[in-house]
């Protein structure tokens, strides 16, 4: 509960700063979601228990997924850069074409997959390369879908209050996320689905 | 006294009204008198609704009982840049469901930034036997299964345009659902589809549709297939080439050149997604006839671009990446005296250092050399007030001027001053300016100029600019014809909005994200102005969980006669009289 209080006070200090440069972008669907680096203690996360660490790890326009890269950035980023989400104003079709080309140049890789919440036919898009592992991914999804997603290490809880994360692989099979190492997951995942824990 | 109005039989008035096409004129007629209102509403066939939440399907159908063509727009423009979270809204299904029974003779549906589902497409396919035109521009939510339903059932379809929509591409076989008896296709735009098409189905379709004039292929169509298609459709006026890529082979080149030169009526070219530059000369033969060229995805360097545009003396519209550089724009200014519209997109927008030599000089050249140029979208990395003043003087006829200096808040690179006087010159000289996007370092003074001179301005886009509420106040109080205002990351807050609240009812919509508008002010606006929907969009949870004076993430205000909508997701709240009482 101390964690919750810490999170709340840090977010209110962000709010009251009221300066566009300090705006903390929220992980919206198809934009590069903020890769707020966070550790998940305990068996589940929800939007209140996220600790917001160094603002400079905030994602700008596609970054590499290695954790070492994050620490490099924290020394070179400036507050101004944090606001550059979805800038410059080019349509996603051009953005992904250019990003695709840049990915060939190993500069701004992106891997967008659609994420569906059970019961809702319209999916949301997420850039998997914005996250450095399963923890980060699940945190992002918890925030995006306002639900509680159990982490893979947890013993399965059969309840309709919690969700689990599944993914469709290249063979078309639906698997529980977390079974394979993160890097391998990235090469096989096609799309994600958040289903109720009591269905698994 | 009513006698004079009724002295013409209804049929005569109807006939006269049929010559009056624009919405504004139609609106004017309907206000003359009650009987004209009645006659007009019975004979209005085309409807344009710029914001689908401004009015309800029921209201539309009640007033206009026999509509044949409908155009609807959903999400605000900034959705194009991912600023509107997915799930916000813009669902078209309720409209289609209502019109399915009310307008069985509906022929045209044009949607922009709306969520369309397969279910919706199936309903369209089933309900409107006379469907001729379906345009889904920047839409999402549907798959190729929905397209299969359209193909299978719409016997009278002439135009299917998926312009930049986000389609779940399950398979390329949907094309085979057009029956063998179907021959009416005039225009097909499937450039946005990701996966491989069924080429044989496509070729058979093109072969049996003699009226096909516009064909925009997707990236999967290889060059040799393209040549086949062109031979089957030599009367094309508009072609989207697909990838325009193949390993260099002289025989393929020869076949392609011949096929393209056979299309003597080609006026418009686009595509070129993965263009192999050595194949470009294949289009030279038709360049003299081209009026529109879209190279927005083409990695072609400046010399090849120069060679290309110098062969297009009749070009009216050019969309191109900044690979064209200043030298290419000089050539454009020399060769293309009929140029009306230019868009230059950034090839590498995510680095600070320029990767190409494109500066303010390029824009100066075209503004000087192209007397008919009236619409510009220009991404660049440096600009000066002098350049803007020169451009404004060269070309007072701009109707649309959108400048995006890639780095936010940078000043005039020569004087290190803000761009206030530069944009001031633009709005002062360009008296017909209807659309403006500003960028670079700007103080409230810039907005004073815009408010003072931008009297015809209808749409304004602002990012990372201004100092205080005064900036916003200048715009809201000065721009008499403002319809759409979209703002992001500016220090504009409550004061200007509350002081100009009434102005908001004269506009279609206002978007503000990452600004300083407080939740309290949003509530006030919602309470005070019942004919506005004041939507707070905030993914951090209910605004009630934060102090009243804390700024909302995003704010979307639009006028509506339909009242608050009921299809909002959990991160959108409408402020109204009850907003203070409402709990999540």
């Amino acid at each position: 509960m101390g964690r919750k209080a810490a999170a709340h006070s840090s977010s209110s200090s962000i709010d009251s700063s009221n300066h566009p440069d300090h705006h903390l972008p929220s992980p919206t669907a198809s934009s590069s979601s903020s890769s707020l680096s966070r550790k998940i203690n305990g068996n589940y996360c929800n939007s209140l228990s996220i600790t917001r660490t160094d603002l400079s790890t905030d994602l700008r326009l596609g970054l590499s997924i290695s954790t070492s890269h994050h620490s490099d950035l924290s020394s070179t980023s400036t507050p101004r850069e944090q606001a550059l989400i979805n800038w410059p104003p080019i349509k996603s079709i051009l953005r992904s074409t250019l990003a695709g080309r840049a990915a060939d140049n190993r500069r701004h890789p992106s891997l967008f997959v659609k994420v569906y919440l059970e019961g809702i036919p319209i999916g949301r898009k997420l850039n998997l390369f914005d996250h450095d592992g399963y923890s980060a991914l699940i945190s992002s999804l918890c925030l995006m879908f306002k639900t509680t997603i159990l982490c893979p290490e947890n013993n399965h809880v059969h309840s309709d209050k919690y969700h689990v994360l599944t993914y469709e692989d290249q063979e078309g099979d639906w698997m529980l996320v977390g079974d394979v190492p993160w890097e391998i997951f990235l090469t096989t995942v096609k799309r994600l689905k958040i289903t109720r824990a009591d269905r698994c | 006294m009513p006698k004079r109005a009724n002295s013409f039989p209804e049929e005569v008035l109807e006939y006269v009204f049929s010559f009056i096409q624009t919405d504004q004129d139609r609106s004017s007629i309907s206000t003359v008198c009650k009987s004209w209102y009645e006659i007009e509403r019975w004979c209005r066939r085309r409807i344009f609704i710029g914001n689908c939440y401004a009015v309800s399907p029921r209201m539309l159908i009640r007033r206009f009982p026999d509509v044949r063509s409908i155009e609807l727009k959903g999400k605000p423009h900034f959705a194009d840049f991912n600023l509107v979270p997915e799930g916000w809204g813009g669902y078209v299904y309720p409209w289609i469901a209502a019109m399915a029974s009310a307008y069985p003779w509906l022929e045209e549906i044009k949607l922009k930034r709306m969520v369309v589902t397969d279910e919706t497409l199936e309903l369209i396919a089933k309900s409107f036997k006379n469907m001729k035109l379906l345009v889904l521009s920047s839409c999402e939510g549907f798959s190729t299964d929905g397209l299969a339903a359209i193909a299978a059932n719409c016997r009278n379809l002439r135009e299917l345009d998926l312009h930049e929509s986000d389609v779940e591409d399950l398979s390329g076989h949907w094309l085979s659902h057009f029956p063998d008896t179907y021959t009416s296709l005039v225009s097909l735009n499937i450039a946005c589809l990701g996966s491989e098409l069924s080429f044989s189905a496509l070729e058979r379709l093109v072969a049996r549709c003699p009226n096909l004039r516009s064909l925009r292929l997707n990236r999967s169509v290889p060059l040799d297939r393209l040549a086949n298609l062109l031979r089957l459709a030599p009367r094309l006026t508009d072609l989207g080439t697909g990838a325009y890529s193949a390993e260099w082979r002289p025989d393929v080149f020869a076949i392609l050149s011949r096929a393209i030169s056979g299309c003597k009526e080609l006026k418009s070219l686009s595509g070129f997604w993965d263009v192999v530059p050595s194949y470009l000369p294949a289009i030279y033969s038709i360049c003299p006839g081209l009026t529109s060229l879209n190279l927005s995805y083409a990695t072609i360097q400046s010399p090849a671009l120069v060679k290309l545009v110098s062969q297009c003396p009749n070009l009216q519209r050019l969309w191109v990446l900044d690979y064209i550089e200043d030298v290419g724009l000089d050539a454009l200014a020399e060769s293309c005296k009929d140029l009306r519209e230019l868009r230059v997109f950034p090839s590498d927008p995510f680095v600070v250092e320029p990767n190409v030599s494109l500066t303010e000089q390029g824009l100066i050249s075209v503004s000087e050399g192209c007397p008919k140029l009236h619409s510009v979208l220009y991404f660049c990395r440096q600009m000066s007030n002098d350049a803007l003043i020169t451009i404004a003087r060269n070309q007072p006829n701009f109707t649309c001027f959108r400048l995006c200096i890639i780095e936010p808040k940078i000043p005039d690179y020569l004087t290190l001053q803000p761009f206030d006087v530069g944009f001031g010159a633009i709005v002062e000289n360009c008296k017909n300016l209807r659309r403006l996007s500003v960028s670079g370092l700007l103080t409230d003074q810039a907005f004073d100029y815009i408010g003072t001179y931008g009297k015809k301005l209808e749409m304004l886009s602002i990012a990372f600019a201004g100092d205080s509420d005064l900036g916003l106040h200048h715009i809201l109080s000065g721009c008499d014809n403002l319809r759409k205002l979209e703002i992001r990351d500016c220090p504009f807050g409550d004061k200007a909005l509350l002081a100009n609240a009434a102005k908001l009812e004269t506009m279609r919509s206002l978007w503000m994200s990452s600004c300083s508008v407080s939740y309290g002010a949003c509530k006030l606006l919602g309470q005070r102005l019942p004919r506005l929907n004041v939507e707070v969009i905030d993914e951090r949870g209910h605004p009630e969980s934060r102090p009243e004076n804390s700024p909302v993430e995003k704010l979307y205000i639009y006028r509506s006669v339909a009242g608050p909508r009921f299809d909002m997701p959990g991160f959108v709240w409408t402020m109204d009289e009850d907003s203070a009482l409402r709990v999540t």
Side-chain angles (χ1 to χ4, degrees):
Chain A
M1 297 311 110
R3 170 182 305 283
K4 277 191 194 173
H8 190 68
S9 62
S10 66
S11 61
S12 58
S13 71
I14 290 163
D15 291 342
S16 57
S17 77
N18 226 14
H19 189 281
D21 285 355
H22 291 308
H23 168 73
L24 188 72
S26 43
T28 52
S30 38
S31 69
S32 331
S33 63
S34 335
S35 64
L36 311 164
S37 66
R38 51 187 83 84
K39 299 277 178 262
I40 296 172
N41 282 339
N43 293 333
Y44 65 92
C45 66
N46 61 41
S47 48
L48 291 181
S49 65
I50 306 298
T51 34
R52 294 194 166 147
T53 54
D54 189 356
L55 289 182
S56 62
T57 62
D58 210 19
L59 182 76
R60 285 169 303 288
L61 308 162
L63 298 172
S64 92
I65 55 169
S66 64
T67 44
S68 59
H69 196 70
H70 281 285
S71 46
D72 288 342
L73 285 171
S74 55
S75 53
T76 54
S77 72
T78 66
R80 175 186 53 71
E81 289 173 11
Q82 287 146 29
L84 290 185
I85 301 295
N86 298 312
W87 183 266
I90 55 177
K91 290 189 186 174
S92 38
I93 209 167
L94 179 62
R95 182 181 286 268
S96 53
T97 304
L98 298 177
R101 289 192 191 145
D104 299 339
N105 304 336
R106 310 189 107 256
R107 252 183 298 184
H108 302 284
S110 67
L111 176 59
F112 282 97
V113 294
K114 273 229 155 137
V115 192
Y116 295 86
L117 178 61
E118 188 175 348
I120 299 177
I122 296 171
R124 299 181 70 173
K125 276 196 279 224
L126 183 83
N127 184 0
L128 288 179
F129 282 6
D130 290 353
H131 307 87
D132 57 13
Y134 289 118
S135 305
L137 173 62
I138 291 183
S139 304
S140 245
L141 291 175
C142 285
L143 264 177
M144 205 189 263
F145 289 92
K146 301 285 181 289
T147 183
T148 307
I149 300 175
L150 300 174
C151 289
E153 311 88 57
N154 187 39
N155 291 326
H156 288 299
V157 174
H158 290 278
S159 159
D160 62 358
K161 276 210 291 273
Y162 301 119
H163 289 88
V164 290
L165 187 58
T166 61
Y167 73 100
E168 185 183 9
D169 68 8
Q170 298 292 350
E171 270 95 67
D173 298 320
W174 285 91
M175 320 280 285
L176 212 55
V177 162
D179 282 359
V180 298
W182 175 252
E183 291 72 29
I184 297 186
F185 167 70
L186 290 176
T187 63
T188 63
V189 59
K190 268 173 52 184
R191 49 187 173 155
L192 297 169
K193 191 165 182 190
I194 302 172
T195 53
R196 286 198 348 214
D198 62 356
R199 295 276 174 87
C200 296
Chain B
M1 111 235 101
K3 270 229 159 76
R4 230 177 306 142
N6 293 337
S7 57
F8 283 126
E10 249 179 58
E11 297 80 32
V12 175
L13 276 174
E14 235 186 80
Y15 181 67
V16 172
F17 292 174
S18 68
F19 291 97
I20 297 168
Q21 300 287 354
T22 70
D23 281 346
Q24 293 91 324
D25 291 343
R26 279 268 170 173
S27 256
S28 308
I29 309 174
S30 66
T31 57
V32 165
C33 64
K34 255 194 167 142
S35 67
W36 281 36
Y37 176 91
E38 279 300 305
I39 298 169
E40 195 281 319
R41 78 182 187 90
W42 277 93
C43 70
R44 183 154 353 169
R45 301 280 172 259
R46 303 188 148 269
I47 299 286
F48 168 76
I49 296 175
N51 174 4
C52 64
Y53 291 118
V55 67
S56 73
R58 202 173 49 86
M59 290 170 157
L60 169 72
I61 293 166
R62 196 173 57 202
R63 180 171 171 190
F64 299 110
D66 191 3
V67 167
R68 306 290 166 94
S69 164
I70 181 139
E71 183 174 349
L72 283 167
K73 294 189 183 180
K75 301 185 206 175
H77 173 241
F78 270 179
D80 284 356
F81 316 125
N82 292 337
L83 287 172
V84 179
E86 271 187 54
W88 170 83
Y91 305 103
V92 78
Y93 187 82
W95 289 90
I96 303 298
M99 294 190 295
S101 37
Y103 301 148
W105 304 115
L106 193 66
E107 294 176 3
E108 298 184 350
I109 296 176
K110 293 187 239 186
L111 306 175
K112 189 166 189 180
R113 291 191 205 98
M114 296 201 79
V115 178
V116 181
T117 58
D118 285 346
E119 205 190 359
T120 310
L121 290 175
E122 282 153 25
L123 187 57
I124 291 173
K126 203 171 54 174
S127 317
F128 307 114
K129 293 299 158 211
N130 231 14
M131 186 52 54
K132 295 201 172 90
L133 184 148
L134 183 60
V135 175
L136 304 174
S137 177
S138 302
C139 294
E140 57 164 356
F142 60 102
S143 78
T144 42
D145 285 353
L147 297 178
I150 297 287
N153 296 290
C154 299
R155 300 303 164 92
N156 293 307
L157 193 69
R158 303 217 180 120
E159 188 170 329
L160 178 61
D161 183 349
L162 305 180
H163 185 73
E164 293 182 349
S165 287
D166 185 3
V167 185
E168 196 184 350
D169 209 328
L170 300 171
S171 101
H173 289 292
W174 68 274
L175 264 180
S176 349
H177 284 78
F178 281 111
D180 292 336
T181 48
Y182 170 75
T183 57
S184 355
L185 196 62
V186 174
S187 169
L188 182 65
N189 177 358
I190 47 177
C192 62
L193 293 182
S195 72
E196 222 177 76
L197 293 170
S198 163
F199 294 134
S200 51
L202 179 59
E203 276 171 25
R204 280 193 314 253
L205 180 63
V206 171
R208 66 177 184 271
C209 294
N211 298 321
L212 190 66
R213 293 291 171 268
S214 169
L215 181 62
R216 295 196 184 185
L217 303 165
N218 76 340
R219 236 164 145 168
S220 73
V221 179
L223 273 181
D224 54 338
R225 268 359 237 259
L226 175 62
N228 282 357
L229 290 166
L230 293 177
R231 268 199 302 273
L232 293 170
R235 300 204 56 199
L236 279 182
T237 58
D238 171 33
L239 173 66
T241 67
Y244 208 77
S245 153
E247 250 180 62
W248 171 255
R249 278 175 47 193
D251 52 324
V252 173
F253 177 82
I255 294 172
L256 183 64
S257 297
R258 213 169 318 137
I260 291 177
S261 61
C263 297
K264 303 198 186 300
E265 296 175 58
L266 263 184
K267 294 232 161 316
S268 164
L269 273 185
S270 60
F272 301 103
W273 290 83
D274 304 302
V275 61
V276 168
S278 32
Y279 278 107
L280 269 181
I283 66 171
Y284 285 172
S285 59
I286 47 97
C287 280
L290 281 185
T291 56
S292 169
L293 188 51
N294 181 353
L295 300 170
S296 326
Y297 305 100
T299 312
I300 309 174
Q301 302 301 329
S302 182
L305 283 171
V306 168
K307 190 123 195 260
L308 191 52
V309 301
S310 359
Q311 301 187 59
C312 302
N314 291 309
L315 204 60
Q316 295 178 15
R317 180 199 300 161
L318 177 65
W319 294 15
V320 71
L321 286 171
D322 58 9
Y323 292 126
I324 195 171
E325 299 190 314
D326 289 341
V327 57
L329 291 174
D330 286 341
L332 184 68
E334 281 270 326
S335 313
C336 304
K337 295 305 187 186
D338 208 18
L339 195 70
R340 320 273 168 106
E341 180 185 330
L342 174 65
R343 296 194 191 186
V344 180
F345 297 100
S347 56
D348 201 350
F350 307 124
V351 297
V352 177
E353 288 308 306
N355 62 319
V356 291
S357 177
L358 181 103
T359 68
E360 76 278 16
Q361 192 50 54
L363 191 52
I364 294 176
S365 299
V366 286
S367 69
E368 207 175 275
C370 304
K372 296 199 191 155
L373 185 67
H374 68 85
S375 174
V376 158
L377 169 60
Y378 199 76
F379 285 81
C380 62
R381 284 186 164 86
Q382 73 183 40
M383 187 50 66
S384 67
N385 281 306
D386 272 350
L388 284 173
I389 292 168
T390 304
I391 290 164
R393 215 177 289 134
N394 285 343
Q395 191 44 281
N397 294 323
F398 280 127
T399 55
C400 170
F401 188 79
R402 296 193 279 166
L403 178 66
C404 181
I405 303 168
I406 290 175
E407 184 72 8
K409 298 194 192 170
I410 59 163
D412 175 330
Y413 79 103
L414 293 170
T415 64
L416 299 184
Q417 293 300 303
F419 289 104
D420 302 342
V421 292
F423 280 107
I426 294 282
V427 287
E428 194 182 346
N429 286 17
C430 304
K431 303 204 190 300
N432 290 319
L433 197 65
R434 289 197 294 269
R435 185 168 179 184
L436 176 66
S437 299
V438 297
S439 57
L441 183 65
L442 293 164
T443 73
D444 289 342
Q445 179 61 58
F447 302 111
D448 194 0
Y449 290 137
I450 294 174
T452 304
Y453 296 109
K455 291 310 184 189
K456 291 230 179 119
L457 208 55
E458 294 178 7
M459 183 168 178
L460 179 59
S461 310
I462 308 171
F464 301 103
D467 307 313
S468 75
D469 272 61
L470 198 51
L472 181 56
H473 174 71
H474 285 314
I475 297 165
L476 291 176
S477 56
C479 298
D480 298 333
N481 280 300
L482 198 60
R483 290 190 301 114
K484 291 181 278 185
L485 179 58
E486 46 186 25
I487 303 173
R488 62 164 291 185
D489 294 277
C490 295
F492 299 151
D494 302 345
K495 286 202 288 273
L497 271 187
L498 294 172
N500 293 282
K503 168 77 175 174
L504 299 176
E505 280 186 348
T506 69
M507 294 164 52
R508 181 190 295 176
S509 66
L510 165 65
W511 169 277
M512 292 178 74
S513 54
S514 306
C515 296
S516 311
V517 182
S518 74
Y519 177 53
C522 295
K523 283 199 287 193
L524 259 178
L525 278 171
Q527 283 160 15
R528 266 197 221 162
L529 299 160
R531 285 178 303 194
L532 287 185
N533 280 355
V534 177
E535 289 189 8
V536 169
I537 300 165
D538 208 316
E539 290 185 285
R540 298 170 298 173
H542 202 298
E544 292 289 345
S545 63
R546 289 178 292 278
E548 280 237 337
N549 61 359
S550 93
V552 299
E553 253 176 17
K554 300 172 188 192
L555 174 62
Y556 185 48
I557 302 178
Y558 55 91
R559 65 179 172 190
S560 175
V561 292
R565 57 188 178 109
F566 299 110
D567 60 358
M568 297 178 296
F571 51 86
V572 179
W573 298 269
T574 301
M575 310 287 106
D576 57 21
E577 300 86 70
D578 312 322
S579 66
L581 305 170
R582 187 174 302 138
V583 184
T584 330

